[in-house]
Amino acid sequence: MDHNKAIKFLYKLSSKLNKFYRLNYNKKLIINNKSKRKKLFNPVTNFDKNFEKMIRTNIIKLFPLDGIIGEEFKEKKGKNNNCWIIDPIDGTKAFVAGLPTWSNLVGLMYKKKSLVGMANFPELKKTYISYNDTSYSLEKKRKIKLKIGV
């Protein structure tokens, strides 16, 4: 499978996610506990759901046959061997606390094998994309290869 289209998509998606966050960050935060156990706090916010809706909409527009597994909504079965995995806000507790270390995680699998993944940190203005056993940082619209080790 040629995954260049998915790589380009994730580069563009990171900008869309950051813009989406900047336009909505000052809206009212609604927090619910999605844990079924009373003593466990597993927060979900309106931002988690809105990020996931936005990500799904963008995926469906470009990859209508692909499956989607997200954290907040039902699985969309695919009509091919591609499946997108979404964690709209990884670190919801940090997000709720106002810490900048939360991220949007989006990845693509082909036949259950990871092809490409993105970690986008809107507050930190950092995006990382990995594919072909190499990771890159996106900085000022440039792709910088990350070095492993010291």
Side-chain angles (χ1 to χ4, degrees):
M1 183 218 168
D2 175 25
H3 56 278
N4 287 323
K5 183 178 176 182
I7 294 166
K8 289 177 186 173
F9 167 74
L10 288 176
Y11 282 121
K12 290 179 183 175
L13 181 64
S14 67
S15 294
K16 288 180 180 182
L17 288 165
N18 294 337
K19 183 177 181 181
F20 182 79
Y21 176 66
R22 282 191 311 274
L23 291 172
N24 293 286
Y25 79 96
N26 60 354
K27 291 190 176 169
K28 184 178 180 185
L29 179 64
I30 301 167
I31 306 165
N32 291 300
N33 186 5
K34 64 181 179 179
S35 175
K36 297 195 182 354
R37 294 175 24 207
K38 287 183 182 178
K39 292 185 179 182
L40 183 66
F41 181 57
N42 187 5
V44 61
T45 70
N46 52 321
F47 282 82
D48 291 89
K49 292 177 181 179
N50 290 336
F51 268 125
E52 186 165 327
K53 284 179 193 173
M54 190 273 259
I55 295 166
R56 283 174 176 264
T57 299
N58 279 273
I59 291 171
I60 290 167
K61 201 179 298 180
L62 267 143
F63 306 95
L65 301 178
D66 293 4
I68 301 174
I69 298 172
E71 195 169 323
E72 309 308 336
F73 299 103
K74 269 184 11 182
E75 178 178 351
K76 174 192 176 283
K77 297 285 185 191
K79 295 184 172 120
N80 58 26
N81 292 309
N82 299 327
C83 186
W84 293 88
I85 309 298
I86 304 168
D87 186 347
I89 298 181
D90 181 52
T92 301
K93 287 180 183 176
F95 179 82
V96 167
L99 301 172
T101 54
W102 59 273
S103 65
N104 316 114
L105 301 179
V106 182
L108 174 62
M109 295 188 324
Y110 174 72
K111 292 185 177 181
K112 298 187 180 183
K113 183 178 185 268
S114 178
L115 286 180
V116 59
M118 176 191 70
N120 182 61
F121 296 82
E123 284 281 350
L124 299 174
K125 296 176 178 60
K126 295 274 186 193
T127 301
Y128 301 94
I129 293 184
S130 293
Y131 55 91
N132 295 335
D133 296 323
T134 307
S135 297
Y136 301 89
S137 172
L138 301 183
E139 297 178 21
K140 298 179 184 171
K141 299 194 179 197
R142 289 185 28 229
K143 180 173 79 170
I144 298 169
K145 185 176 178 179
L146 299 177
K147 295 181 178 161
I148 305 297
V150 178

